[in-house]
């Protein structure tokens, strides 16, 4: 049985406490991950703090050379890393490669570090006085990341933190931990000094140790909203900066003037890709007016065409859910929806895959006539369930979305520029797609929702990520000529 260790100061570190890591496609235990707590976190902090003393003084050229090398290693090992992710998460290998690509884009963004960290200079703000500013790293920072993107979400964090001169401790999900260790080894091959990137595995004891350790300056988190609130409250109470991204209930609005085949095709992929285990998954389709019946007809056909199977099997569109508990929770939600009055148009429950009967599979489910009062609408199901809500107008659809407590992502399918402009101006959501179902922004923009999808005010990666992991300094200078007399006054200084 393989044991997955911590990675601290450039070496594998084991420990006595472990828990199983499953293959979701077979339902069998395939490895055990070591669980850390306060002592392992403290060891990682000590290693990171020691490494920070020299890494903060490294040149921009040195850091970007490491990032260029790391980026190339991600390209060269994409297939291997994708299969590691698929074996522990369950998503298809193609989907895993996709998340690696999107994470690699953040590395490419910070390869331009010399530009994004440029300060400004103001000459002669007063006679003989100049002002300039620059940004410096915080110190030791940490990231706590979810199971659904074991490569991409951490890559939203640590390349930005490390490139700006910080040292980093990653606490990945214990459900699919191997990707974190693999990436740690790629960093080492890329020339990153030991201690700059560390991995501590574990559950709540490890999380609490990170949130309260006095040696950690900032914490980044992506996960459910209740835990995001806990992370934000606990870490800020201990004097830390916090990025805390929470849950979502993402709506795709379809107007009658939309190309319904196009819309249904993309909504199907957005709803059932990665088995719906995405914080940007389309979980609600809002069918407006005359679009409803035809849209349901097309979505039904497309849901039935989704090929479900093991993630490493060619041609698979959707793999299993990550755990048995997740499978049971999602299938129970479909049953509850039926009892509450929803029409189960496509029922994915009870799916068995030949040769993988013990895997955590459930098929795509499509629910029609869902209302805002039903659990299937209110709860973040995090599975392959698409709920259809019918609305009479675009304005009614906007009001529905704005009343939802989440505000992560949304999409509008239309051929009307006026409708698109009205939608994007009036919707209370942080990331919007127009004829784009999953509007995850490129790495040179920042990712973050509104309302209960973002706790606090710090989005992730892009310019906001640079600001989060650095603090500014403003320097006012005067260089008088030798023997020049410069008078000093007791009044508050002013420019002149």
């Amino acid at each position: 049985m393989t044991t997955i260790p911590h990675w601290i100061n450039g070496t594998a570190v084991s420990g006595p406490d472990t828990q199983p890591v499953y293959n979701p496609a077979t339902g069998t235990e395939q490895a055990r991950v070591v669980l850390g707590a306060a002592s392992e976190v403290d060891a990682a902090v000590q290693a990171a703090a020691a490494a920070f003393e020299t890494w903060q003084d490294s040149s921009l050229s040195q850091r970007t050379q490491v990032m260029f090398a790391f980026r190339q290693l991600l390209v060269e090992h994409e297939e291997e890393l994708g299969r590691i992710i698929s074996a522990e998460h369950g998503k298809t290998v193609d989907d895993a490669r996709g998340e690696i690509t999107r994470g690699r884009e953040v590395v490419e963004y910070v390869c331009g570090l010399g530009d994004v960290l440029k300060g400004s200079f103001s000459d002669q703000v007063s006679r003989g006085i100049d002002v300039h500013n620059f940004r410096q790293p915080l110190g030791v920072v940490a990231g706590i990341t979810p199971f659904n993107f074991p490569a991409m979400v951490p890559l939203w964090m640590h390349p930005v933190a490390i490139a700006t001169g910080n040292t980093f401790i990653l606490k990945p999900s214990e459900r699919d931990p191997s990707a974190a260790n693999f990436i740690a080894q790629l960093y080492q091959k890329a020339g990153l000094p030991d201690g700059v990137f560390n991995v501590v595995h574990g559950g709540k004891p490890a999380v609490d140790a990170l949130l309260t350790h006095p040696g950690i300056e900032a914490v980044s988190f992506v996960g459910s909203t209740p835990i995001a609130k806990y992370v934000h409250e606990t870490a800020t109470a201990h004097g830390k900066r916090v990025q805390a991204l929470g849950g979502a209930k993402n709506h795709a609005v379809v107007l009658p003037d939309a190309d319904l085949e196009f819309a249904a095709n993309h909504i199907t992929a957005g709803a059932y890709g990665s088995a719906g285990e995405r914080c940007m998954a389309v979980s609600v389709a809002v069918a407006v007016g005359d679009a409803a019946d035809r849209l349901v007809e097309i979505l039904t056909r497309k849901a039935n065409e989704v090929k479900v199977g093991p993630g490493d099997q060619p041609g698979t569109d959707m793999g299993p859910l990550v755990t048995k508990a997740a499978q049971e929770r999602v299938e129970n939600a479909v049953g509850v929806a039926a009892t509450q009055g929803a029409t189960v148009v496509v029922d994915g429950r009870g799916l068995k895959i030949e040769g993988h009967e013990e895997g955590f599979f459930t098929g795509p489910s499509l629910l029609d006539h869902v209302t805002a009062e039903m659990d299937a609408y209110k709860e973040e199901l995090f599975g392959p369930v698409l709920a259809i809500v019918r609305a009479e107008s675009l304005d009614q659809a906007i009001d529905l979305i704005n009343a939802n407590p989440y505000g992560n992502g949304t999409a509008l399918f239309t051929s009307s520029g006026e409708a698109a402009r009205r939608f994007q101006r009036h919707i209370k959501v942080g990331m919007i797609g127009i004829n784009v179902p999953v509007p995850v922004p490129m790495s040179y923009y920042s990712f973050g929702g509104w309302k209960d999808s973002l706790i606090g005010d710090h989005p992730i990666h892009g310019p906001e990520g640079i600001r989060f992991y650095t603090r500014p300094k403003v320097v006012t200078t005067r260089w008088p000529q030798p023997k020049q007399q410069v008078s000093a006054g007791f009044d508050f200084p002013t420019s002149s």
Side-chain angles (χ1 to χ4, degrees), residues 51 101 215 258 366:
T101 298
L366 181 65

Side-chain angles (χ1 to χ4, degrees), residues 176-195:
D176 45 9
S178 293
N181 286 34
F182 188 86
I183 284 174
Q185 294 172 51
L186 294 187
Y187 264 131
Q188 191 175 61
K189 290 179 181 178
L192 189 70
D194 291 342

